[in-house]
Amino acid sequence: MEKEDEYVKALSEGDSKAFEILFLRYQPRLVAFFAGFVHDDEVARDMAQDIFFSLWTNRERLSAVRSFSSYLYRMARNALYNYYDHSLVCEKYDAEQLFRPLVVENTEELLFVRELQALIDLKVEQMPPQRRLIFRMSRVDGLDNEEIAASLNISKRTVENHLTAALSDLRRMLKMALLLFY
């Protein structure tokens, strides 16, 4: 631990060798940590890379750090929060695009839209009951996550998890459908 403090101090002064030593020690741990949450090794490696990039670009701040590993995992926790916040925003946008009214210009497009809507309806029907209910409350009834949580007496995070899973299922199904149609 004493040696690690020396590496952190050297890194805060711009020592690239100290950075390399800390990187080699902690990068595999961070990748494993992230992979356990995001379930995508490439994304996990990118997130770890971003942490170390941030460490290097803000290395002067490290002189005030008491525990490097605690500091590093606090950065990792914040990166995960940002990742999930970003994912929720993307999923909400995808869902809005999925259910926005389409302007259909010809019969072929109209048939395609109807077939696609039928596939979506079928996929929604195949969802577990609670996920289906939450999805419909969100997308059909227009309730926000807090309203759904209060109505069903569950946490807002549970609502978000169900919506994330529902949108993921629909996205996978739509990718397959688009491959078949085109």
Side-chain angles (χ1 to χ4, degrees):
M1 202 47 103
E2 185 177 307
K3 195 75 164 158
E4 183 173 281
D5 292 340
E6 292 173 24
Y7 293 137
V8 172
K9 183 178 182 324
L11 170 58
S12 73
E13 296 168 355
D15 186 339
S16 61
K17 189 67 176 166
F19 176 80
E20 183 179 338
I21 290 167
L22 292 168
F23 178 86
L24 291 173
R25 179 177 293 165
Y26 284 101
Q27 191 266 357
R29 295 178 196 174
L30 276 179
V31 170
F33 175 77
F34 286 132
F37 287 96
V38 300
H39 306 292
D40 183 328
D41 291 341
E42 188 173 327
V43 171
R45 281 191 295 276
D46 287 346
M47 291 175 77
Q49 188 72 22
D50 290 344
I51 295 284
F52 280 99
F53 178 75
S54 180
L55 281 172
W56 178 255
T57 56
N58 299 301
R59 60 188 172 271
E60 300 83 24
R61 295 182 190 169
L62 294 174
S63 60
V65 170
R66 300 283 179 247
S67 169
F68 181 71
S69 62
S70 294
Y71 181 74
L72 194 62
Y73 282 99
R74 188 170 46 248
M75 288 179 73
R77 184 195 67 208
N78 291 338
L80 275 173
Y81 289 155
N82 291 339
Y83 172 81
Y84 283 121
D85 286 345
H86 178 74
S87 294
L88 287 173
V89 168
C90 289
E91 287 172 6
K92 183 175 181 179
Y93 174 79
D94 288 348
E96 288 170 359
Q97 294 303 309
L98 183 65
F99 291 99
R100 71 178 160 69
L102 293 174
V103 177
V104 180
E105 296 185 13
N106 63 40
T107 307
E108 187 177 317
E109 286 180 7
L110 181 60
L111 288 173
F112 175 73
V113 168
R114 286 182 180 159
E115 298 246 345
L116 205 50
Q117 187 61 53
L119 285 172
I120 291 169
D121 293 342
L122 180 64
K123 191 65 179 174
V124 170
E125 284 303 315
Q126 293 172 347
M127 291 177 184
Q130 179 134 357
R131 183 173 303 157
R132 181 175 54 241
L133 176 62
I134 290 171
F135 182 80
R136 285 185 176 150
M137 291 174 81
S138 172
R139 298 308 186 256
V140 177
D141 301 338
L143 300 177
D144 67 30
N145 294 354
E146 288 179 12
E147 292 171 323
I148 296 168
S151 172
L152 298 176
N153 198 26
I154 58 176
S155 74
K156 182 180 172 192
R157 184 51 115 185
T158 300
V159 171
E160 291 168 352
N161 289 341
H162 277 289
L163 288 174
T164 297
L167 293 172
S168 177
D169 290 346
L170 286 172
R171 209 175 294 112
R172 270 194 307 275
M173 181 275 303
L174 287 173
K175 284 180 187 175
M176 293 302 294
L178 291 175
L179 286 174
L180 293 174
F181 285 119
Y182 290 104

